[in-house]
Amino acid sequence: MKPILILLSLILSNTSCNNDDNKTTSIVQSDQKVYYNAKIYTVNTSQKWAEAMIIEGKNITFIGSDIEAKNIANKNAAYINLEGAVVLPGIHDVHMHPLEASSENFLFILNEEETNVENYTSTIQNALSVNPDAEWLLGWGHSFYALLDAERSPLAILDDISTTRPILIMEQTSHSFWANSKALELAGIHENTPNPVGGIYMKEEDGSLNGILIDNAGNELLDMVLSPTQKTIENDYQGFKNYGLVELRKNGITSVCDARTYWKRDHHLIWKRLEEEGNLTVRANLGLWAYPSENDASQIATLQSLYSNDPNSFLKINQIKLYSDGIIHQTTSAMEEDYLVNFFKEPTNNGLSYFNKNRIADYINQLETTGFDLHIHAIGNRGIRETLDAIEQSGTARGRHRITHLEFVNESDLARFAQLNVTADCQVAGDFTNPEHWSENDELIGSSNTQKVVPIKSLIQANARLTLSSDWDVSNLNPFVGMQHAVTRVPENISLEEAIKAYTINGAYVMRQEDKVGSLEVGKLADFIVLNQDIFEIEPNAIGQTRVDLTVLNGEIIYER
């Protein structure tokens, strides 16, 4: 569908689809729009398919056939001919990091595919020279294994670039950081500094620091660096407004969950500013970050004070994000058994716990009554089991909690998701989640644990509610890449209808807005997208090439390709 056809349809199709010869076409004259000649997949089980949809203001007032739409539309209705295009409800991406993905506080990007860490130096040196006034040189994108495979200390490599200006680089998954000596000095980190909860300061064989900060050890340093200033806030705001929100609209995403709202960095205030200034073009639920090293009583009180659930607002602060564990490739996911390699020479070698079972249960107990739902990161089978245990211990029917990532799930835990009403939030947009990559973790946890990585089919067969999300910018933002992978990842593949449901009505449920959006039904708000190809008819391996031609939010066009 060419973009110009929409405008022409508004001007011309009104006459061809209505027998009132005296009528003139004008969008201004009518608040009623008739989208017709479409293939509308509603995600409504009682009426899966339709040809036409009538929108009045921000509401859907009719779903059905072209003929019925023509018969009930008012005489001044504007007609939009979609020329047989597929229409879906607006996409819900309930796990992403849009401010972090858009932030202008990071000044350079490294290539995660680079295996020789020495080859990073020219990019870092260039960033240092072109940013002479930057108090901290922040970068992003390297591979953890590139640092491990380096022939000399990663700390020495950065110190060769500068020992007078602090350099801090976030690994491409955000679960580790690479720092030079000046950065460690300013943070007060030395070889005798105890590891923080959920984190590790990596060391050389002689006990000296090697510049790699694992999980929360790096998070805490970044929190110090990005303590809010007028500049850091403006960098986040402008990046999200001018890049992040544009990307969301372009990809048909009308509802999101910010999966890590750093309230100490004033991220929640940036979201509020966007809404107050009329620049927020997405429905958003913020997941306030639970800092692992904070005193629980004072942190819970702060989180409760930030709760906001205005039904008339696009923006709601009604979720809490916390981590149970780390990630598999750094051996920090919480596993039932020890890893087969030992990177850290710590007393235990079965992963980290940011929040243990009892702390998670306590947060659920105190925050669920406020109205918060918890969004809990758990990748390893032990982390997942302990999280389910915590929800079983403290959760009530009021909660709509979810566990995200779910890479290594015990068979015995699959049924517990439905039993406890816990949503299984999974990401399969990244190539690393495809079956051909599962064996890459054999050397870490053994092949017996890598047979069903991210078991979305098994979860659905166990009657779990499944959502699919991007984890942007760890993985591709395009939801159709995620759908393609979901339907092709044999043996853990699902149907296209199940994948669409996971990106729409199931996402609406975890955002507590399934009565308003997530499916196309009379009485719901008009959030929908128009696609450039029929994903129901093409080969599954071509679904990821789908593009969004039109994104409509609250009845208004917010993107046109």
Side-chain angles (χ1 to χ4, degrees), residues 1 128 180 247 261 272 300 343 388 423 462 514:
M1 181 179 67
L128 202 65
N180 70 346
E247 290 299 302
T261 303
K272 286 185 176 181
I300 288 171
F343 293 144
L388 288 168
T423 297
E514 77 279 8

Side-chain angles (χ1 to χ4, degrees), residues 420-439:
L420 299 173
N421 190 34
V422 175
T423 297
D425 179 46
C426 298
Q427 300 81 37
V428 296
D431 288 343
F432 68 93
T433 66
N434 287 337
E436 62 266 27
H437 293 284
W438 293 354
S439 62

Side-chain angles (χ1 to χ4, degrees), residues 318-321 367-368 371-375 398-402 509-510 512:
N318 61 358
Q319 297 184 358
I320 301 295
K321 176 65 180 296
L367 293 170
E368 188 183 276
F372 283 109
D373 297 315
L374 271 70
H375 179 185
R398 178 175 181 170
R400 295 190 180 186
H401 310 304
R402 71 190 187 278
Y509 176 88
V510 301
R512 293 185 178 266

Side-chain angles (χ1 to χ4, degrees), residues 324-452:
S324 168
D325 62 1
I327 57 175
I328 192 69
H329 78 267
Q330 290 180 176
T331 68
T332 55
S333 294
M335 299 297 292
E336 302 281 12
E337 299 176 348
D338 282 351
Y339 285 90
L340 303 180
V341 299
N342 193 335
F343 293 144
F344 310 124
K345 307 300 187 290
E346 293 293 321
T348 59
N349 188 35
N350 64 346
L352 295 176
S353 292
Y354 279 65
F355 281 79
N356 62 30
K357 180 182 73 173
N358 290 335
R359 285 185 80 194
I360 295 172
D362 185 44
Y363 274 64
I364 292 171
N365 182 54
Q366 297 196 57
L367 293 170
E368 188 183 276
T369 55
T370 303
F372 283 109
D373 297 315
L374 271 70
H375 179 185
I376 303 171
H377 165 122
I379 289 178
N381 53 17
R382 176 171 62 86
I384 295 165
R385 174 180 54 78
E386 291 176 355
T387 300
L388 288 168
D389 289 346
I391 295 172
E392 183 172 16
Q393 176 179 326
S394 294
T396 71
R398 178 175 181 170
R400 295 190 180 186
H401 310 304
R402 71 190 187 278
I403 305 177
T404 192
H405 300 313
L406 299 170
E407 292 184 16
F408 307 96
V409 187
N410 291 329
E411 290 284 339
S412 58
D413 283 330
L414 291 170
R416 299 180 70 193
F417 285 85
Q419 292 165 1
L420 299 173
N421 190 34
V422 175
T423 297
D425 179 46
C426 298
Q427 300 81 37
V428 296
D431 288 343
F432 68 93
T433 66
N434 287 337
E436 62 266 27
H437 293 284
W438 293 354
S439 62
E440 293 172 3
N441 291 309
D442 288 359
E443 64 180 7
L444 301 179
I445 56 177
S447 60
S448 62
N449 285 313
T450 60
Q451 300 305 305
K452 291 185 177 181

Side-chain angles (χ1 to χ4, degrees), residues 498-517:
E498 288 167 333
I500 293 172
K501 183 179 179 182
Y503 271 110
T504 54
I505 193 65
N506 286 359
Y509 176 88
V510 301
M511 293 182 68
R512 293 185 178 266
Q513 58 184 26
E514 77 279 8
D515 59 330
K516 298 180 176 66
V517 292

Side-chain angles (χ1 to χ4, degrees), residues 38-76:
K39 186 176 180 180
I40 303 172
Y41 184 68
T42 68
V43 196
N44 174 7
T45 54
S46 63
Q47 185 189 19
K48 283 189 176 183
W49 294 97
E51 296 175 314
M53 181 166 53
I54 297 178
I55 310 299
E56 294 189 36
K58 60 185 180 181
N59 296 108
I60 301 170
T61 59
F62 171 81
I63 291 273
S65 70
D66 286 342
I67 293 174
E68 290 174 299
K70 172 186 172 183
N71 288 337
I72 69 171
N74 65 43
K75 66 178 182 179
N76 292 322

Side-chain angles (χ1 to χ4, degrees), residues 125-146:
Q125 287 170 334
N126 180 67
L128 202 65
S129 64
V130 300
N131 295 283
D133 298 325
E135 184 177 353
W136 281 78
L137 188 72
L138 290 179
W140 172 86
H142 69 277
S143 160
F144 173 68
Y145 285 110

